[in-house]
Amino acid sequence: MDDYPLLNLFWTMLWLFLWIMWFFLLFKIITDIFRDHTMSGWGKAGWLIFVLILPFLGVFVYLIARGKSMGERDMKQMQENEAAFKQYVQQAAGPGGGSADELHKLSALKDKGDITQEEFDRAKAKLLA
């Protein structure tokens, strides 16, 4: 370790971090190119070739030219994901507050005599399954 000073280790780590960040940015732009529904197929192909053939220039030109719309597409995607998650949670919770509420209703029906004990047991097993 004597032939590799600590400062060189820090420089190596910095360059490794910047290299990883560069690939992250490159992949983010490539996914944004394919996610944009307003761009034609030829436009997507042109941007993709530009970004892959001249990566540094292509990425910077893409960020300058389409950076604002890239952020808007990210926000739209996040809002769609959040709406889908909320819909899933509401669907999983059920319209009436879940199985506890349904069991309470079944118990009230059984107490009033509207259903028999066997019907209550079957409905209870179905709810808890």
Side-chain angles (χ1 to χ4, degrees):
M1 242 2 216
D2 292 333
D3 57 341
Y4 200 70
L6 186 61
L7 186 59
N8 285 351
L9 178 67
F10 287 134
W11 275 111
T12 303
M13 295 302 289
L14 176 69
W15 283 112
L16 180 66
F17 174 74
L18 290 175
W19 188 64
I20 290 170
M21 289 303 296
W22 170 254
F23 278 111
F24 175 77
L25 181 62
L26 185 65
F27 292 138
K28 177 90 171 141
I29 287 176
I30 290 172
T31 57
D32 186 67
I33 289 171
F34 287 109
R35 185 174 46 184
D36 188 6
H37 298 294
T38 61
M39 195 183 319
S40 69
W42 287 107
K44 289 179 183 183
W47 274 112
L48 190 62
I49 289 170
F50 187 40
V51 167
L52 291 177
I53 299 296
L54 300 170
F56 289 110
L57 184 63
V59 165
F60 292 130
V61 170
Y62 188 86
L63 287 176
I64 291 169
R66 302 183 53 84
K68 185 176 180 181
S69 62
M70 185 174 164
E72 291 169 356
R73 281 186 293 279
D74 279 342
M75 289 298 295
K76 182 181 175 188
Q77 182 70 34
M78 284 189 288
Q79 289 171 349
E80 289 174 357
N81 289 345
E82 184 178 351
F85 176 73
K86 285 182 180 180
Q87 181 183 7
Y88 170 74
V89 168
Q90 288 174 351
Q91 180 186 12
S99 59
D101 189 38
E102 294 294 324
L103 283 174
H104 180 67
K105 289 178 185 177
L106 282 173
S107 177
L109 287 174
K110 184 185 73 149
D111 291 342
K112 287 190 335 187
D114 292 340
I115 60 173
T116 64
Q117 181 66 35
E118 294 169 1
E119 292 172 330
F120 174 77
D121 292 336
R122 278 188 303 220
K124 180 180 169 185
K126 185 178 179 183
L127 275 175
L128 296 177

